[in-house]
Amino acid sequence: MSSFKKRVPSAQASLPAGCRLSAYNGQVLISTGVPSLDDILGGGLPVGTILLIQEDRQTSYGQLLLKYFLRQGIVAGDKCVVVSGDESPEAIVRSLMGIAGEESLESQVQTGVDNRDDEDEERRQRRKKAAVAGGDDEDSEQDRLTIAWRYSGLKKFESGVESRPPAISSRVNKTGSTTEPAPTPSQIPFCEQFDLTTRISAKALESADTTLIDSGELQKAVLAGDSDLEDDSDDDLAASVAGRNQPDLYRNVLDKIRETLIQGGFSTTLLKDPSAPAPAPGTAGLAERHICRIGINSIASPSWRSKTPHDLYKFLHALRGLLRFSFGAAVITIPAHLYGTIDQRHATDGSTTSPYIHRLEQLCDASVRIESFAGAQTNASSAASAYHGLFHVHKVPVLNALIPSSTKLSVLLDGAAKGSGGPGQSGSGGSSKGVNNLGFKVRRKRFAIETFHLPPEGGVGQRRTSAEPSSGSSSSSLSERKKSSSAKASANPGPASGSFKKTGSSEEGSVQSRARSLGVGNQPSGQVDVHSVPGASGIARKMMGLPPKGIQGAVTSGCSTGGSDAGHKHIHGGAGSGANSSLLDF
Amino acid sequence: MGYASLEPHLPSSHAPLLPPGTFLSISDTQASDGNFLLHHFISNYIKADQNVVLVGLAGILVHYTMVGRKLGVNLATARTKGNFQFVDGLTQLTDYAAPNKEYLAKPTEPKPATITSTATPSSTTTTTTGARIARPAAAAATPPAPPKVLSYSPKLVDLYRALEEIIQDAASKTKTGPSQKQLVLILDDLSVLLNCGWSCRDVLALVRYLKLLVAKFNGTLITLVHADGLMAEEVSQDGLVKGVFYEADYIIDVRGLDSGGSRDVHGQLSLLHGPGYLLRQRLGQVRENEWPALTLHYKILDNNVEVFAKGYSSGVL
């Protein structure tokens, strides 16, 4: 009964389609469809767990993540259960994204170069050049670093997770005909690359194994049922008292989910026919197993009426009980912003502020929150136009172990990096608290979560003379600020940018231009002075027009940025305070 | 031993176990999970060959088994020996989940030739969270019966009765010689009961009853509650936490660092005296310095937890 599987080919082949084993503890993982989200979760979403996505306010990135999850399931041939009230499940399924490169089969010569985004392409070119130019990677590194050569040995700081090249090219070339034989489990990629500009093909839709549960319809049925009960109250008193509990929406949805799990044979403990002798579990039984992916869109939205406040919790508890003993996983999105005010008093660690949502998080294995910049006040765009929002990780799955696998494996959560503190510290992985700020961006073709960092001061290349909005972010260093305050001098205030104008080179943003746009926007705020702390600091958030975050930890220079502070002056090390005053409007 | 660095800070009178007749209450937050403490006590009691009854309201047996393995205890053999009882409080606890009953496989007589096949669909040999190739069970040991399930009932009293039965069962089975084995009843976790709809008063009453019950059987009670500062706004949540603390002899409070996350220190744990401890102290039942009230920092590693004084983390020194 070893939990660590030997990496024998036979072991790999006996996994259900589209799964892989965790490198840390051998759990079965499935992909959420977004490689960076998989990375945050520690390789993928473990089978049997629930991921809670707290939606953003005015955009639908939460639903987008859900769609990725479902689409990946369709690619892998998993059963997809879609529960939705606000939007009809059929509409959601029809609007799923297509696979990158699927349409144009002929242009597979260049393995999906046209599918890359500009940045990735750049990165790739640079790597290629570096590989061609220098023989050994090490040598070329050392050649480049003549001053900071001590850093050459450190791992490169990865700000994002690269997505794999699409495997569809290999599939198509193999058969070359329109009717392909169903790919064997080992051929199905763990995480397919999708294209947001295309829609799911009709063929894929047909072959998809989906169960659609429209909670709006269920709700109507529930209400109709209730009224029936009232009419026959006299006759059916006995019946209603005797056992048939009053139906309510969450219960019905759960019943339907249970039914699907049982009928599809996904559950290992609940059987279709309990009295039949259970079949002997074969040694290769896993390969025939399929995964059931449950996607619930906007649970607990106003259209979901519950009988008691405990309904949703009980639902999650029961769902966990079902999933833990099944080959399935669930992704649930919830409009968390509707519950509880953004009262940031309690957010000492960046967690949610509503006790209601917090309670639900206790039962979910993983919880993330999307906070998009859309609809925030104007300065949001100037501060971070490369990103579309922040991505907060509240909880990562900790299953069958003391620490979560993302502590060891995640690039984004800084797990894979060796501990930089302490001499001779054997790399014990980072705290799962996510030392990095994470932001997400949605390009034309894909959704990516990356570490959210300030580009280098002054830009990488030339000085900016035209007033382009910068794409800085929350953290900056003391020295940068000093430099900028002295160099500010006669900066012409540039026009504050409108909404997400995508800057050509996101690296050229500078504190300077941000300061300028701040001056125009007449925003009384001090300068950003914190190193990367978990969650963006108060002043930075105010700068970006986001609601204040509350007292964050580890603030350098002793300037605590309380939410209500209206721009106090930071006077540091004699940097020209005169220059500062242009920023601060009291 | 569970975590070597935690040992010196626990009550020394019955180390490595807890003094019988006491109640240890653990509180944690979302940022700092208190689960690791439960594993510590489980492994201590099992290694000392005493009884453990673990009620899993939010977790499944496989999880405890796997972590136990990392800490060096084999829960499966402990179950067959009768030392360890797991009570499943996840699959049928609420009225939502109650219909699960109807779909469970009916138990059949175990056929000697096919040990894993029919009799144990829900026992520890099958799992979904860890991919396993099902092999015939080791040797000819009959697999342990599936864990007892707490089935739904609108009153918590029934839950209490079920637990009472289980404890009496466990205690009587393993009565060896004149002295009864020490028992520990672990509830993981209480917040589930509160959030599933039972009132705070009922849950507290359950705790009180269990504490008395367990004392009769030479045992201790350990419970886990979630006590985020955030939840203090809600009266019932706050009431549960305060009520549980009020009943406790020992309190271990696990929370994250005030100053944010850190790679080397995952959080802090405070060992506190509960009102019960003070009472016992006054009665002279506890020695001096049996349980000094301290606040320590901890860091969770792969198969161990390092507990150290503030500022002494190995990342700093």
Side-chain angles (χ1 to χ4, degrees):
Chain A
M1 278 209 328
S2 163
S3 63
F4 299 99
K5 300 235 60 66
K6 293 204 189 76
R7 300 300 178 91
V8 195
S10 59
Q12 296 282 30
S14 73
L15 282 180
C19 302
R20 71 170 176 205
L21 290 177
S22 158
Y24 174 57
N25 56 6
Q27 283 167 4
V28 182
L29 305 173
I30 57 176
S31 171
T32 54
V34 180
S36 31
L37 183 56
D38 283 342
D39 173 80
I40 290 173
L41 295 172
L45 185 64
V47 164
T49 56
I50 305 177
L51 165 66
L52 183 72
I53 300 177
Q54 295 174 32
E55 293 172 17
D56 42 335
R57 279 171 182 265
Q58 280 143 337
T59 42
S60 62
Y61 294 121
Q63 200 185 83
L64 182 63
L65 285 180
L66 185 67
K67 286 190 190 165
Y68 265 106
F69 180 67
L70 295 171
R71 188 65 184 92
Q72 175 62 38
I74 293 181
V75 164
D78 299 336
K79 173 130 184 104
C80 295
V81 178
V82 188
V83 182
S84 167
D86 295 331
E87 243 182 81
S88 103
E90 290 89 31
I92 293 183
V93 171
R94 261 182 280 123
S95 68
L96 289 178
M97 61 284 288
I99 298 183
E102 187 174 37
E103 312 298 31
S104 49
L105 300 176
E106 300 82 37
S107 65
Q108 286 301 315
V109 181
Q110 303 168 298
T111 44
V113 161
D114 44 339
N115 297 331
R116 296 284 184 272
D117 297 330
D118 304 348
E119 280 179 33
D120 285 353
E121 176 58 22
E122 250 182 75
R123 231 187 291 168
R124 224 158 300 258
Q125 299 285 11
R126 257 185 272 134
R127 289 247 180 86
K128 272 197 218 142
K129 280 192 210 137
V132 163
D136 200 359
D137 229 9
E138 279 267 54
D139 290 340
S140 53
E141 286 271 351
Q142 282 184 349
D143 284 338
R144 259 184 271 138
L145 300 173
T146 50
I147 295 178
W149 51 272
R150 284 259 185 217
Y151 291 112
S152 61
L154 285 184
K155 203 167 92 72
K156 178 171 185 290
F157 179 75
E158 298 284 345
S159 64
V161 175
E162 293 247 320
S163 50
R164 313 170 31 260
I168 190 160
S169 53
S170 56
R171 265 196 279 166
V172 168
N173 290 337
K174 267 195 192 126
T175 61
S177 62
T178 45
T179 54
E180 312 161 357
T184 63
S186 54
Q187 276 182 316
I188 295 180
F190 178 66
C191 180
E192 185 63 81
Q193 195 171 25
F194 301 111
D195 182 351
L196 288 176
T197 55
T198 60
R199 288 277 162 267
I200 183 173
S201 65
K203 193 165 61 102
L205 252 187
E206 273 169 32
S207 61
D209 182 12
T210 57
T211 300
L212 306 174
I213 302 177
D214 189 338
S215 63
E217 296 295 326
L218 268 186
Q219 181 108 334
K220 289 193 209 131
V222 162
L223 292 176
D226 269 350
S227 55
D228 284 347
L229 271 178
E230 280 172 28
D231 294 342
D232 312 343
S233 56
D234 295 322
D235 301 355
D236 287 354
L237 245 178
S240 53
V241 164
R244 236 198 92 209
N245 299 316
Q246 282 226 307
D248 58 77
L249 181 57
Y250 286 104
R251 181 199 299 272
N252 285 2
V253 172
L254 186 72
D255 286 344
K256 289 238 180 299
I257 293 179
R258 182 187 301 119
E259 203 182 293
T260 316
L261 284 175
I262 294 177
Q263 294 301 323
F266 298 105
S267 170
T268 53
T269 55
L270 306 178
L271 310 167
K272 250 190 277 199
D273 187 5
S275 44
T283 47
L286 277 180
E288 285 118 40
R289 287 280 197 185
H290 290 281
I291 307 285
C292 177
R293 293 181 182 230
I294 302 174
I296 307 184
N297 183 46
S298 277
I299 205 172
S301 73
S303 65
W304 289 60
R305 281 147 66 179
S306 58
K307 278 200 141 41
T308 68
H310 306 284
D311 272 4
L312 181 50
Y313 189 90
K314 286 198 285 186
F315 175 83
L316 285 176
H317 187 257
L319 185 63
R320 182 188 251 216
L322 278 176
L323 283 179
R324 284 284 198 266
F325 293 106
S326 313
F327 279 91
V331 170
I332 304 180
T333 71
I334 183 169
H337 52 90
L338 294 177
Y339 287 95
T341 55
I342 305 295
D343 177 21
Q344 302 290 336
R345 273 198 315 251
H346 303 286
T348 46
D349 52 4
S351 55
T352 44
T353 54
S354 158
Y356 184 68
I357 303 293
H358 203 85
R359 226 182 302 159
L360 301 175
E361 283 186 325
Q362 286 172 6
L363 268 191
C364 296
D365 299 285
S367 170
V368 297
R369 179 161 65 97
I370 299 183
E371 184 179 357
S372 76
F373 294 147
Q377 283 119 44
T378 47
N379 282 315
S381 51
S382 63
S385 53
Y387 296 92
H388 291 141
L390 296 174
F391 193 83
H392 303 276
V393 179
H394 291 163
K395 204 174 173 191
V396 285
V398 185
L399 223 51
N400 300 343
L402 281 173
I403 50 177
S405 1
S406 23
T407 314
K408 292 268 181 180
L409 299 175
S410 165
V411 166
L412 287 175
L413 291 183
D414 209 12
K418 294 209 175 46
S420 53
Q425 177 81 292
S426 60
S428 43
S431 147
S432 67
K433 277 316 293 167
V435 182
N436 295 326
N437 301 335
L438 297 174
F440 69 90
K441 54 171 96 163
V442 182
R443 296 290 178 211
R444 218 159 39 94
K445 298 205 173 198
R446 66 189 198 101
F447 181 100
I449 302 168
E450 296 175 3
T451 51
F452 195 51
H453 59 277
L454 184 72
E457 158 63 22
V460 172
Q462 68 275 31
R463 263 187 65 130
R464 296 219 68 120
T465 46
S466 62
E468 277 263 277
S470 77
S471 62
S473 83
S474 56
S475 53
S476 108
S477 69
L478 192 55
S479 54
E480 283 180 20
R481 188 178 58 252
K482 274 192 202 166
K483 258 195 293 171
S484 74
S485 56
S486 49
K488 236 193 312 291
S490 54
N492 295 324
S497 76
S499 51
F500 315 109
K501 226 197 296 171
K502 197 169 123 174
T503 55
S505 51
S506 49
E507 266 130 24
E508 308 237 10
S510 64
V511 177
Q512 203 168 356
S513 49
R514 183 176 64 225
R516 260 184 270 134
S517 50
L518 275 185
V520 168
N522 225 20
Q523 189 85 315
S525 67
Q527 277 193 307
V528 179
D529 63 346
V530 289
H531 293 281
S532 61
V533 291
S537 77
I539 295 290
R541 290 179 66 98
K542 207 178 320 165
M543 212 181 62
M544 294 192 286
L546 295 172
K549 194 108 197 261
I551 315 280
Q552 284 299 319
V555 176
T556 61
S557 331
C559 301
S560 86
T561 54
S564 50
D565 274 332
H568 52 280
K569 251 190 183 182
H570 299 286
I571 302 180
H572 291 285
S577 46
N580 270 344
S581 57
S582 64
L583 260 199
L584 308 172
D585 264 313
F586 284 108
Chain B
M1 304 290 270
Y3 313 128
S5 47
L6 180 58
E7 281 305 320
H9 302 290
L10 293 178
S12 43
S13 57
H14 287 76
L17 311 174
L18 292 171
T22 55
F23 172 22
L24 165 67
S25 157
I26 304 175
S27 67
D28 69 357
T29 65
Q30 191 192 74
S32 55
D33 202 353
N35 230 285
F36 68 92
L37 287 171
L38 297 181
H39 297 295
H40 167 84
F41 288 112
I42 294 174
S43 74
N44 273 3
Y45 270 78
I46 302 270
K47 283 197 182 152
D49 201 30
Q50 308 295 324
N51 289 341
V52 177
V53 177
L54 171 62
V55 182
L57 293 162
I60 52 174
L61 180 57
V62 173
H63 172 70
Y64 299 102
T65 314
M66 300 270 240
V67 183
R69 189 172 300 136
K70 293 194 179 187
L71 296 179
V73 286
N74 189 334
L75 289 183
T77 47
R79 280 181 80 210
T80 45
K81 272 206 310 190
N83 277 353
F84 179 74
Q85 294 267 9
F86 182 74
V87 183
D88 177 349
L90 181 66
T91 48
Q92 285 176 36
L93 187 71
T94 58
D95 50 344
Y96 279 25
N100 287 356
K101 252 200 303 243
E102 302 154 25
Y103 295 98
L104 286 174
K106 306 275 185 292
T108 60
E109 305 86 52
K111 305 181 190 117
T114 53
I115 291 175
T116 47
S117 58
T118 52
T120 59
S122 60
S123 76
T124 52
T125 51
T126 52
T127 180
T128 56
T129 52
R132 288 184 181 188
I133 297 177
R135 288 178 233 138
T142 49
K148 306 213 174 35
V149 184
L150 289 178
S151 39
Y152 169 67
S153 116
K155 290 189 187 252
L156 270 189
V157 162
D158 298 327
L159 216 88
Y160 168 71
R161 299 244 170 75
L163 285 175
E164 188 181 11
E165 222 179 275
I166 294 173
I167 292 179
Q168 276 167 345
D169 207 28
S172 59
K173 264 198 212 154
T174 58
K175 206 162 189 147
T176 51
S179 68
Q180 198 178 21
K181 278 202 200 177
Q182 277 206 291
L183 172 73
V184 68
L185 171 63
I186 303 181
L187 293 178
D188 173 22
D189 55 74
L190 279 183
S191 303
V192 169
L193 288 178
L194 183 70
N195 291 329
C196 279
W198 285 286
S199 72
C200 175
R201 183 176 304 176
D202 287 345
V203 179
L204 285 176
L206 175 71
V207 169
R208 211 171 296 136
Y209 271 64
L210 284 175
K211 178 179 164 190
L212 294 171
L213 171 70
V214 151
K216 266 192 276 179
F217 288 98
N218 199 23
T220 37
L221 173 65
I222 301 181
T223 61
L224 179 65
V225 269
H226 294 307
D228 305 68
L230 181 58
M231 309 287 253
E233 283 180 352
E234 294 203 346
V235 178
S236 55
Q237 297 277 348
D238 196 36
L240 176 67
V241 174
K242 289 192 171 135
V244 165
F245 279 4
Y246 185 70
E247 299 282 334
D249 295 291
Y250 306 104
I251 300 173
I252 300 184
D253 182 44
V254 182
R255 53 184 67 242
L257 295 174
D258 282 335
S259 42
S262 156
R263 194 175 286 154
D264 297 309
V265 180
H266 287 163
Q268 71 181 40
L269 47 93
S270 308
L271 312 172
L272 305 167
H273 295 161
Y277 182 86
L278 300 172
L279 274 175
R280 289 169 70 223
Q281 213 176 24
R282 216 167 278 172
L283 293 175
Q285 283 175 4
V286 293
R287 279 201 320 259
E288 278 293 320
N289 285 333
E290 174 175 316
W291 173 262
L294 290 174
T295 300
L296 305 161
H297 284 178
Y298 70 90
K299 175 179 177 172
I300 306 184
L301 301 171
D302 199 18
N303 54 4
N304 193 9
V305 172
E306 280 177 8
V307 177
F308 39 83
K310 281 193 187 181
Y312 280 82
S313 101
S314 49
V316 171
L317 295 180

